[in-house]
Amino acid sequence: MIKQQLAERLQQIFEHLHKHPEISWNEVETTAYLVDFLRSEGLDPQTFPDMTGLYVDIGKGTPTVGFRTDIDALWQKVNGVFQANHSCGHDGHMTVALGVVLLLKELEPTLSGAVRILFQPAEEKAQGAKAFVDQGVVDPLQFLFGAHVRPLIELEDGTYAPALYHGAAKLFTGEIHGVEAHGARPEQGANAIEAAGALIDGLKRIWISPAESASIKMTQIQGGGASTNIIPGNASFSIDARAQTNETMEALTAGFEKAAGAVSTLYDVSIDYNVDAHIVAAQVSDTAKSILEQAIINVAGEENCAPDAITPGGEDFHFYTYSKPELQTTMLGLGCGVTPGLHHPEMTFNQKHLPTGAEIITQALVLALQQTERSDTK
C-alpha cells in the first residue's frame, strides 16, 4: 500500500472514530466498528462476553509480539455540554492500530511469526489493562508496544520518541468517623473536620528525596451539615498522589498510611479508605526501546528520532509490565503538535503523522518478531 493510499484510508477511519466517542466500559459501538473493519480484512477478531474491547492475531502460530491501543474517550464539558470526547488522542491511537493491521496484512506472507493487536477499553479509568491481563490476552507475548500522541511541550511536531516515561498515580478516597456533639461541648465529640485538617498537615510532612518527583495532596473534603452548632462526626475526602517511579509511590503510600494512623490516635477517630485507582510508572525494556528506536530511524530518519519523553502524566499501559515483569514493553511518543494540551476539551493534533506512526509500529513489530526468532534458536 503506497503512502498516499494509507493516508487517505486512515483519514476516513479517524474521522469516524473521532465523531463517535464512547466512555470507559461503554465502548460498544466502537468495538462493533473495529470488529466489522477487521472482519472485512479477512481477520478473526476475538471479543469478550462480559466487556468491551477485542484483540486480533495476524500471522501464523502463537503471537509473541503485540501492539496495544486504547479505545475509550473522556467525559467532559464541551461547548457547555457534558459529553464523551476524544481529547486524549485515543481516536488517533486506534487509527494507528488499524493502519498497522493494513500494513501487516500486506506483509503477512513474509512474517516470521504472529502479531497480536490489542484494542483495550477503560484506559481512562486505569482498569482496562488489568482486565486484559486477567483475560490472559498478553500471556503468550514477549514484546508489547504502545503509542501516545504528545503535546508540543514534550515533542516537536514530526518527531518520534522510542520511550515514554509516565509517572505513577494513586487516588485514595475515604471517610473519617468521629463523634457528633453540641457546639458548646466540643470535648464530648470527635471533630471529623479537625481530623481532616490534621491529615492534610500530615501529608505535608511526608518527606521524599528532592531528587525524586512526587506530590500527595487532599483534593476533596466534605463534612458537617446544615446546622453550624454541631461538632461534625463524619467527613469524606479524596487524596491524589503522584510519583515518577513506583518506588517513590510506595514511599508516598507508606507515608499516607502512617499519617492516617497518627491522626486516628490523636483525634480518637477512625479513618477508612480505599485505593480507587492505581496507575503504575513506566518500566521500559531496553531491548524493546532499542527496537523501536531502530524502527523510527528506518521510517522517519535519524533526525526525527527524539530523546525519551518524561512526563508526569499516567498511562494504564504500564500495568502490563507491572503485572508481568518478563514482558518487554515501551511506548512510541508521537510528536504531532497536540494543542492546547491533552484532556483539553478542544484538543487537536496534526493527523498527518498517524500513517508514519503506523509504519513505525509495523516496523518495530517485524523487528521484534526477528528478535524472538533469534532467541528461540539459541
Side-chain angles (χ1 to χ4, degrees), residues 67-86:
F67 173 66
R68 169 272 202 182
T69 181
D70 30 24
I71 69 173
D72 56 332
L74 289 159
W75 183 257
Q76 61 186 160
K77 185 178 284 189
V78 182
N79 296 323
V81 179
F82 276 100
Q83 62 187 62
N85 187 39
H86 273 305

Side-chain angles (χ1 to χ4, degrees), residues 74-343:
L74 289 159
W75 183 257
Q76 61 186 160
K77 185 178 284 189
V78 182
N79 296 323
V81 179
F82 276 100
Q83 62 187 62
N85 187 39
H86 273 305
S87 59
C88 200
H90 296 186
D91 46 359
H93 305 164
M94 285 187 280
T95 302
V96 168
L98 293 182
V100 171
V101 167
L102 294 173
L103 293 171
L104 285 177
K105 278 289 294 177
E106 290 190 342
L107 295 173
E108 188 171 8
T110 65
L111 292 177
S112 59
V115 175
R116 177 164 290 179
I117 311 297
L118 290 66
F119 297 87
Q120 179 208 299
E123 189 280 329
E124 295 295 353
K125 286 187 175 295
Q127 297 171 348
K130 183 180 185 303
F132 267 24
V133 168
D134 291 344
Q135 291 283 347
V137 176
V138 297
D139 284 355
L141 303 183
Q142 297 179 35
F143 288 93
L144 182 63
F145 298 91
H148 207 299
V149 297
R150 304 316 301 163
L152 281 169
I153 59 173
E154 291 183 8
L155 285 178
E156 291 184 17
D157 190 30
T159 66
Y160 307 88
L164 291 177
Y165 284 88
H166 289 93
K170 266 189 183 180
L171 173 63
F172 301 90
T173 58
E175 293 186 352
I176 301 172
H177 303 286
V179 178
E180 290 192 355
H182 195 288
R185 301 178 182 85
E187 75 283 357
Q188 294 180 0
N191 192 321
I193 290 179
E194 289 184 352
L199 183 57
I200 292 171
D201 192 57
L203 297 180
K204 296 177 182 178
R205 284 162 171 70
I206 299 174
W207 298 108
I208 299 297
S209 167
E212 299 289 335
S213 174
S215 69
I216 183 167
K217 58 278 181 190
M218 193 171 288
T219 54
Q220 289 181 332
I221 176 69
Q222 183 174 2
S227 299
T228 58
N229 63 342
I230 297 176
I231 301 298
N234 295 281
S236 60
F237 63 86
S238 296
I239 290 173
D240 178 276
R242 305 278 170 164
Q244 199 59 51
T245 67
N246 293 316
E247 293 76 16
T248 303
M249 179 56 73
E250 290 174 3
L252 286 179
T253 301
F256 162 67
E257 291 172 347
K258 186 181 294 185
V263 170
S264 295
T265 300
L266 183 62
Y267 284 82
D268 197 22
V269 298
S270 63
I271 301 178
D272 303 320
Y273 58 88
N274 296 302
V275 177
D276 283 7
H278 180 197
I279 300 174
V280 299
Q283 301 173 84
V284 174
S285 157
D286 289 339
T287 303
K289 184 174 75 168
S290 177
I291 289 171
L292 188 52
E293 183 176 23
Q294 187 60 56
I296 293 170
I297 293 171
N298 291 350
V299 173
E302 190 167 3
E303 68 277 11
N304 293 316
C305 185
D308 302 343
I310 299 175
T311 173
E315 167 57 65
D316 192 32
F317 175 84
H318 304 298
F319 186 82
Y320 291 110
T321 307
Y322 186 79
S323 298
K324 295 184 173 295
E326 70 278 8
L327 184 62
Q328 301 183 76
T329 67
T330 191
M331 293 193 81
L332 172 68
L334 285 166
C336 50
V338 171
T339 55
L342 293 170
H343 290 204

Side-chain angles (χ1 to χ4, degrees), residues 1 9 37-44 56-59 98-111 362:
M1 181 177 292
R9 189 143 189 213
F37 180 95
L38 296 169
R39 286 178 177 164
S40 72
E41 293 296 321
L43 297 170
D44 184 25
V56 68
D57 295 341
I58 303 173
L98 293 182
V100 171
V101 167
L102 294 173
L103 293 171
L104 285 177
K105 278 289 294 177
E106 290 190 342
L107 295 173
E108 188 171 8
T110 65
L111 292 177
T362 303

